[in-house]
Structure formats: C-alpha cells, structure tokens
Amino acid sequence: MGRKEEYPSCQDVLGSKAVDAMRRAQAFLREHTTEQLLELAGHTVENLALKGEVADKRHFPLSFSRGKSCDEDLLTGLGMFYVTQAGKIMLDCVSGHYQMSWGYNHPALTALAAEAVQSGVVWDNHANTPGLPVKMLAEELVARAGGAQSGLERVLLGVATGSVACGAVIKIMLSRYLNDPDCSRLGAPVMVSLVGNYHGTDIVAQAMRGMWKGLLGNMESVQVEPNDPEGLQAAFRRFGKRVAGFWAEPIMMNREAILVQEGFLRLARRLCTENGALMALDEIQTGFWYPEVFLFRTLDLVPDLVIVGKGMTAGFHPLAAVLYRPELDILEQYDALSTNGNASLASLVGLCNLRLIDRDRERLARLAARHREGLSELAASFPDILQRVNGKGLLTGLKFRDRQDAMGFHQAAMGKGLWLRVHAYHPGHRTVLMKHPLVCEESAVDHVLGVLRGLLQERPWR
Ligand SMILES: Cc1ncc(COP(=O)(O)O)c(C=O)c1O
C-alpha cells in the first residue's frame, strides 16, 4: 500500500489555498460559541473568504447553477452553521437538502466514522457478503418499525438513494399486480398518489406526478389532493381492484410542508385493504426526524411498505431502505439494487444516529414544541400576512397569504443569514419551509424566530 508519507494529502489533492481557507473557516466555527455565531449569521468575515483561482462550476449542467458565482457555495460547515466561499456565515435551517439531520460534521458521527475505519469497518462491498453493520441496521430498523407486531420484517438495504428505494417499491407494486391473474385480467395497473408527492427522479415516479405524459402506456396514474377524502374515495371507486398501489408522504416537504392527516391516511389504509392495493408511506423526509424514528409509529395504522433515506445516515453517505412484509419479498436481487448501497460504514453511522436520537428524545420533543409554538405565535401576531403554519415537529412551513410576500420574505431572511427554502413557483404555493437539524439548540430556534418576527414587522421587501 506504500508508505504513509507518500500518500497524497488533502492539500495535494485540493490545493493548499483551498485547504487553508477551509481550515481557517472550520477553526473559526469551532472557536466561537453558538451565541457568537448566531450574532454573526448573515455577516461576511473577510479573512475567511476563499480568494483566487479555484475550481468553479463551468462543467456543471445548467440546472446545477452552471455559470453562477461560487460566492454562496459552501466552503465548510459545523453543526447548523456553514461558511460560504465568500466568507459569509449562514445558519442552515433546512439541514442541507433536508438530509443532514445532525448538521455538518457532528463530532459524534465523525469520530465514530474515523474510529470505525481504524477498527476495520469497510466502506462498501458486494451485496452477497454484507458486513455486520448492514445486518445490525436491518435488525434495528425492523425493531423500530414494530417488528412482528407490524409485520414489517423484511428490509431492502442495498439501495443508495431514495429514488432507487422508491423505484423498488414501484416494482414490488407492479410485480404483485402483474403476477396476479385476477388483477392483470382487469387491465393496466393504476397508481394513486397525492398531488405534490415527489418519490425521486426515477422515470416511473416522475410519471406518477404527471411528467413523461403518454410514455408509460400500460400503467395509469391518478393524483388526488392530500386530505381530500372524497377525491380519494372517487379514485378507488373508479379504479377499484386495478389500483396496484397508493403513495403518501406524511409531511409533504416538496409541497409546502402539508401534513397529511391521520384520518385521511386511515381511509387510504382501509381502501387499499378492501381493494387489494398496497399502501406505501414515503418517510424519506419524516424518517429519523422524530423521537419515534418512523412517523407512522405515531399513527394508528401500518402501511405495507415504508421507505426511508436522507436522515437515516444523517446525510453521511447516500443510503436508503425499504421495509415491508415478507410476502412482498418478490423481487430478484438485481431488480432493485445500487451496487454502492451495501455500505457498512454508512450503516454504522445510521446505527449511531439511532443512539443519538434515543439519547436526545426529550430534548428533541422540547425543541420541536418550542419551534412550533414560536411559529404559531408569529401566525397569530401577523394574520394579515401569514395564513397558517404547516407541518409537524421540526418539519414546518410558514404559509403566506400572498406569493410575493413569501418570496420577498425568503430573500430577506437569506440576507439575514438564514438558509431557508420557499415553495412559490406553482400556482397557489406561497410557503417558506424549515427543517431544523436535530443538533439545533434552543438559542438557534429563538434566534430564527426573532429574525422572522423582525422581518414580519419591518417587511423590507415591500
Ligand atoms: C419524499 C421523497 N421521496 C424520495 C426522494 C428521493 O430521494 P433521493 O434524493 O435520495 O433519491 C426525496 C428526495 O428529496 C423525497 O423528499
């Protein structure tokens, strides 16, 4: 393997200018308290900027901000804070892209990963020879999902991203339908999903949200408004036993953080059972963000399939999973697999993540309540501009009455150093979204609420 002194260093690979800047910024984040960093959020610290010729985005696709300045790109991060390439301190209120559940480089997870590599845990290997952490994660997932009581005792862990996991569920639903002569005699299978669901970038998942019209000739998809029981009943009345599967995301982080109500999901459960359809809950957003780990465990129902990703490994390495009942174990190994999805190290981080959630159960419940109450107070104080608070726990949306206000507020909040997201690009959408990481502290919750209140009072965008 060569001598250690001969191995390329980080500086050799990234260049000393970049590594020096990263180290300066990382040291800055470590040396300041949360309170000091909150004061600095939105400010640029001159000597933290990465200056001069470094890699840019000229080879990126247009849709990945090709040609745009790199000033706002992340240089380094720690916990809920990150420093941009221009040296600006930002407070990340959406956990990266909703996946960094313990923020950036959490010391417990980074120390565990480093120790694990020293101890011999490998990064990845063939799915036929799974390492111990992968098997242990499967056991833990089944236990957290209710074990024999829920019947969700089979776990597909060989998938790297949520899109591949959702693709596997689509295939299970379709295979089951097509292999049942009673069903396939009825005609093409139908997928029922909710308007605003995402389920990743797989072409069939995209067809289920209205893209690629006419391309998938032998499958129909119907979208129902979330929390519209009549619409749901009408879809099942129309298609009956042709419904192969029903899909819901319990909190629709791809549509204004709408909370899908328990009553609606229970109705879906009943209709699926009556019509022989499979019910999938996509918990890629909600999983690992609540003390119960799976949000469905707080509801009085059990889906047939549950999908998790994102927060499962706290964003450490793409790893996703599907839990289902053993009789749905009908795919062949290579029907649904990412060859880099048998990740021992990522699985170990997932196991540690579960321990951190268990350790912080009460703190997480307190934090979520404080955030939620704060947002409700804002909605009550500014009813002329805010319509309501969506979501649950740390997954929340602030719905505005007017789209321009939502967009102006979002820009103003970014200027104050809060990294938030806004849904305002579809008709009727006008919501600012937050998904605080679990590492968030009460002072950060209060700081965010204070900045939001100030902006709602001053309305500088108007
Ligand atoms: C609800 C939901 N399902 C599926 C996915 C796809 O996951 P991935 O991006 O890991 O492929 C996402 C990603 O944002 C999601 O939010």
Side-chain angles (χ1 to χ4, degrees):
M1 293 205 190
R3 293 207 326 273
K4 206 174 163 199
E5 312 80 72
E6 292 167 356
Y7 296 166
S9 68
C10 212
Q11 291 194 336
D12 292 332
V13 178
L14 294 176
S16 53
K17 203 184 327 168
V19 174
D20 288 350
M22 247 184 251
R23 286 192 180 150
R24 263 198 318 275
Q26 185 63 216
F28 186 90
L29 293 175
R30 284 171 203 263
E31 283 158 12
H32 288 78
T33 63
T34 302
E35 285 66 27
Q36 288 170 328
L37 292 172
L38 288 171
E39 283 295 309
L40 286 166
H43 295 275
T44 298
V45 180
E46 199 44 48
N47 74 334
L48 297 185
L50 170 56
K51 297 215 174 80
E53 287 286 299
V54 283
D56 60 26
K57 296 181 275 196
R58 81 187 71 173
H59 300 298
F60 280 34
L62 283 173
S63 56
F64 278 71
S65 67
R66 175 170 175 237
K68 291 212 178 122
S69 147
C70 297
D71 281 356
E72 314 233 306
D73 293 349
L74 181 145
L75 178 63
T76 190
L78 186 66
M80 221 175 146
F81 296 95
Y82 71 87
V83 179
T84 68
Q85 277 191 213
K88 190 171 174 184
I89 314 289
M90 296 294 291
L91 182 70
D92 189 337
C93 303
V94 286
S95 307
H97 199 116
Y98 303 134
Q99 81 278 34
M100 311 294 298
S101 52
W102 292 96
Y104 297 100
N105 289 11
H106 189 284
L109 298 174
T110 46
L112 175 95
E115 185 207 333
V117 173
Q118 288 302 319
S119 309
V121 174
V122 302
W123 303 344
D124 210 350
N125 59 296
H126 195 290
N128 283 354
T129 57
L132 274 176
V134 182
K135 289 177 274 203
M136 289 174 72
L137 181 58
E139 273 176 26
E140 282 265 2
L141 290 175
V142 168
R144 307 295 174 129
Q149 201 193 348
S150 70
L152 300 169
E153 292 184 280
R154 200 104 338 157
V155 189
L156 173 66
L157 252 175
V159 285
T161 77
S163 298
V164 183
C166 289
V169 172
I170 292 172
K171 289 170 207 161
I172 291 175
M173 288 173 167
L174 293 179
S175 299
R176 181 168 167 275
Y177 184 90
L178 297 173
N179 291 337
D180 182 339
D182 287 341
C183 290
S184 40
R185 257 201 307 274
L186 299 171
V190 177
M191 291 287 188
V192 179
S193 59
L194 305 183
V195 181
N197 275 2
Y198 178 60
H199 308 312
T201 47
D202 183 88
I203 193 164
V204 185
Q206 292 185 337
M208 280 161 46
R209 56 188 163 98
M211 294 168 70
W212 306 98
K213 280 219 181 320
L215 195 76
L216 301 180
N218 215 22
M219 185 192 104
E220 268 187 74
S221 56
V222 192
Q223 291 173 285
V224 172
E225 278 296 325
N227 301 325
D228 171 16
E230 286 80 28
L232 184 64
Q233 273 163 327
F236 273 88
R237 248 196 324 275
R238 180 163 164 221
F239 294 107
K241 293 199 182 314
R242 273 185 62 203
V243 180
F246 166 83
W247 290 74
E249 301 168 9
I251 296 176
M252 303 178 72
M253 291 306 279
N254 301 293
R255 183 178 170 190
E256 299 191 291
I258 293 174
L259 171 72
V260 183
Q261 284 152 11
E262 180 170 1
F264 180 81
L265 291 173
R266 278 164 56 91
L267 173 66
R269 173 68 280 177
R270 180 166 66 72
L271 292 170
C272 282
T273 306
E274 284 169 9
N275 290 281
L278 295 176
M279 176 182 192
L281 280 192
D282 178 346
E283 288 228 36
I284 288 175
Q285 289 285 353
T286 46
F288 299 83
W289 235 276
Y290 297 88
E292 296 81 6
V293 180
F294 295 95
L295 193 61
F296 89 84
R297 298 281 286 156
T298 65
L299 309 174
D300 186 16
L301 62 94
V302 181
D304 298 301
L305 302 118
V306 184
I307 310 151
V308 280
K310 290 194 180 290
M312 181 166 79
T313 57
F316 173 78
H317 179 293
L319 189 65
V322 185
L323 284 96
Y324 47 98
R325 286 183 284 103
E327 65 267 29
L328 299 177
D329 192 0
I330 51 179
L331 298 184
E332 295 300 327
Q333 181 180 17
Y334 295 99
D335 287 353
L337 168 111
S338 306
T339 51
N340 57 352
N342 190 57
S344 280
L345 191 52
S347 299
L348 183 79
V349 174
L351 287 163
C352 182
N353 180 21
L354 284 169
R355 278 168 182 65
L356 295 181
I357 294 172
D358 290 346
R359 182 197 68 181
D360 282 9
R361 266 176 160 268
E362 279 150 32
R363 185 185 66 80
L364 293 176
R366 267 202 318 275
L367 196 70
R370 192 177 182 111
H371 173 59
R372 178 70 198 204
E373 278 158 26
L375 291 182
S376 300
E377 278 167 21
L378 289 183
S381 305
F382 303 99
D384 62 317
I385 187 167
L386 294 178
Q387 190 175 332
R388 64 166 180 268
V389 182
N390 283 349
K392 186 178 168 121
L394 293 174
L395 281 65
T396 47
L398 214 42
K399 179 142 188 161
F400 284 70
R401 296 199 179 275
D402 178 82
R403 177 173 168 268
Q404 294 301 335
D405 280 334
M407 289 179 23
F409 177 90
H410 174 245
Q411 277 308 314
M414 296 273 280
K416 297 272 181 198
L418 304 188
W419 177 256
L420 308 168
R421 289 188 72 77
V422 63
H423 284 175
Y425 303 99
H426 290 285
H429 289 193
R430 41 183 195 271
T431 298
V432 169
L433 285 100
M434 276 167 272
K435 186 173 176 182
H436 285 334
L438 309 182
V439 75
C440 183
E441 294 169 55
E442 289 183 351
S443 56
V445 168
D446 295 347
H447 174 85
V448 173
L449 291 168
V451 173
L452 301 187
R453 178 171 285 277
L455 290 175
L456 290 165
Q457 263 154 1
E458 288 161 25
R459 304 178 189 183
W461 63 90
R462 280 190 174 173

